[in-house]
Amino acid sequence: MNIDFDRIPRDALPALLRTMPKAELHLHIEGTLEPEMLLRLAHRHGVALPWAGVEALRAAYDFADLQSFLDVYYAGAGVLRDEADFFELAWAYFERAAADNVVHAEIFFDPQTHTARGVPIDRVILGLHHAARRAHQELRISSGLILCFLRHLSEDEAMATLDAALPWREHLVGVGLDSSERGHPPEKFARVFARARELGLECVAHAGEEGPAAYIEQALDLLQVRRIDHGVRCTESPALVQRLARERVPLTVCPLSNVRLRVFPDLASHNLPELLAAGLCATVNSDDPAYFGGYVADNYVQLFAAQPQQLGAREAHRLAANGFEASFVDDATKAGWRRELDAAFAAAMR
Ligand code: HPA
Ligand code: ZN
């Protein structure tokens, strides 16, 4: 299909960004826990919280850096106890994602946050899996679950977590690496990622969010990841940017997260246009939308509004197409989404 991007008026862009089909590849399910659900589950389970209500919770969402966010995020996740809680959490996300025309989501979860509190891993995986199955049937959203290891814990603990998840191997598409980046380089997890690869799991890792470009190189060389989560600090190494472009390693970028965690001072300074201009397979995602002020379409709309000279219809199409390209599905499925995407852009031409 021939799309003439110059024939898509600027004022049509926000609606197009919201309605175009998209994949979401960097989304922590625990980061979709909205204050109302958090308080409801705390009440249900008699969990005492340091926050009195929705207002106090939202006021706590003023973060200085990644660690100050993680402290609140892990405390919030403490209200998730039963399989039904994980189902409810994920189902609410899928309903919200459907409103943004997310057609495919690859979703992170942090089992160690829950098993450390005595919640068995099967409740976590099965609750999420059942919501994913229903989302496929009722919302036509396909998805995959990515089990993340907490990098502030040891590799032995990561290995034990992988072993504990094996009975539900078929419900997982891959493994990831998240939590506090500085001081916890990818090399710490080389053995557990090798084991995950042997099991046929796709590998991804957060790198180059707060950590240096060298962590991105380690994730590629030592963990052999297929995508880098965040990766925005790659621009500190021109040689690395060239490599990422040459090898077409996707970056799952999260603009609102980067501003809320002070990786960039504001959206106008975000380097996503630079990443695209360098030919990288950059994608737009929401990370922890309940904490960072917006879901995936909000990320697109607010970023494009902040950088109107750099980001227009062509870049919108590129980013959504990159998301499909970077997903862990077969080529025929990707081609189908790509046709839907092209049709949405063709319909917006004037
Ligand atoms: N970075 C690292 N760990 C995380 C994040 C993130 O952005 N969100 C949830 N866990
Ligand atoms: Zn993340």
Side-chain angles (χ1 to χ4, degrees):
M1 195 170 314
N2 249 345
I3 304 166
D4 182 351
F5 293 106
D6 296 330
R7 287 178 53 199
I8 299 178
R10 182 83 210 175
D11 62 5
L13 201 50
L16 184 57
L17 290 167
R18 289 195 181 280
T19 58
M20 67 181 182
K22 49 184 81 72
E24 172 136 75
L25 306 177
H26 186 156
L27 179 281
H28 302 264
I29 200 65
E30 294 90 347
T32 69
L33 181 58
E34 291 285 348
E36 293 77 8
M37 189 184 292
L38 198 164
L39 294 171
R40 188 154 37 78
L41 293 179
H43 184 72
R44 182 186 295 170
H45 298 305
V47 176
L49 292 173
W51 310 286
V54 170
E55 295 306 311
L57 257 177
R58 290 210 194 275
Y61 296 175
D62 180 19
F63 309 113
D65 55 14
L66 176 57
Q67 191 58 52
S68 64
F69 155 68
L70 290 171
D71 293 342
V72 175
Y73 164 85
Y74 293 133
V79 304
L80 298 162
R81 298 273 161 112
D82 297 338
E83 185 178 320
D85 302 338
F86 290 95
F87 177 90
E88 202 173 315
L89 176 70
W91 179 249
Y93 164 69
F94 282 120
E95 286 195 302
R96 184 63 189 71
D100 284 351
N101 202 14
V102 170
V103 297
H104 180 73
E106 292 174 8
I107 297 175
F108 296 137
F109 68 109
D110 288 337
Q112 289 160 291
T113 305
H114 312 299
T115 53
R117 299 180 285 113
V119 176
I121 197 167
D122 60 319
R123 286 192 204 163
V124 183
I125 296 179
L126 293 176
L128 300 176
H129 172 69
H130 290 144
R133 197 172 57 187
R134 182 170 164 195
H136 195 225
Q137 289 163 350
E138 295 185 19
L139 303 171
R140 301 264 158 250
I141 299 177
S142 58
S143 61
L145 291 175
I146 298 178
L147 183 159
C148 279
F149 305 118
L150 297 182
R151 68 202 304 160
H152 67 274
L153 301 177
S154 71
E155 186 179 49
D156 285 348
E157 287 165 287
M159 198 69 91
T161 303
L162 182 56
D163 283 337
L166 283 188
W168 297 278
R169 160 70 187 86
E170 79 214 69
H171 298 331
L172 305 177
V173 66
V175 299
L177 186 64
D178 66 1
S179 188
S180 323
E181 188 180 6
R182 284 199 199 113
H184 301 286
E187 64 180 343
K188 185 175 155 186
F189 296 92
R191 288 178 315 134
V192 71
F193 271 72
R195 170 121 170 80
R197 285 199 311 278
E198 278 167 21
L199 291 164
L201 291 160
E202 305 284 0
C203 293
V204 300
H206 284 54
E209 177 187 20
E210 280 193 345
Y215 282 18
I216 300 174
E217 285 166 344
Q218 278 190 18
L220 295 172
D221 295 332
L222 305 180
L223 308 186
Q224 297 181 36
V225 299
R226 297 264 313 267
R227 298 195 296 247
I228 297 288
D229 297 310
H230 292 297
V232 291
R233 286 190 59 189
C234 69
T235 47
E236 293 168 17
S237 165
L240 175 59
V241 171
Q242 281 178 16
R243 174 182 179 184
L244 293 170
R246 190 173 60 243
E247 297 178 7
R248 236 176 140 65
V249 179
L251 303 186
T252 62
V253 179
C254 307
L256 288 172
S257 165
N258 291 157
V259 172
R260 295 296 278 266
L261 301 188
R262 307 187 194 232
V263 174
F264 294 97
D266 48 39
L267 286 174
S269 330
H270 198 285
N271 70 356
L272 192 119
E274 189 188 338
L275 301 175
L276 277 185
L280 301 193
C281 185
T283 66
V284 170
N285 309 273
S286 69
D287 209 6
D288 301 283
Y291 293 94
F292 299 148
Y295 285 77
V296 63
D298 303 315
N299 273 271
Y300 273 103
V301 170
Q302 292 186 39
L303 181 68
F304 276 62
Q307 302 205 36
Q309 302 303 317
Q310 286 77 23
L311 298 173
R314 186 182 307 278
E315 289 73 26
H317 183 272
R318 181 75 262 156
L319 287 164
N322 286 349
F324 295 137
E325 177 187 333
S327 67
F328 296 135
V329 303
D330 58 83
D331 288 343
T333 305
K334 291 181 186 184
W337 289 331
R338 182 56 194 265
R339 282 192 294 276
E340 269 184 59
L341 178 68
D342 290 354
F345 277 72
M349 295 190 317
R350 295 288 171 271

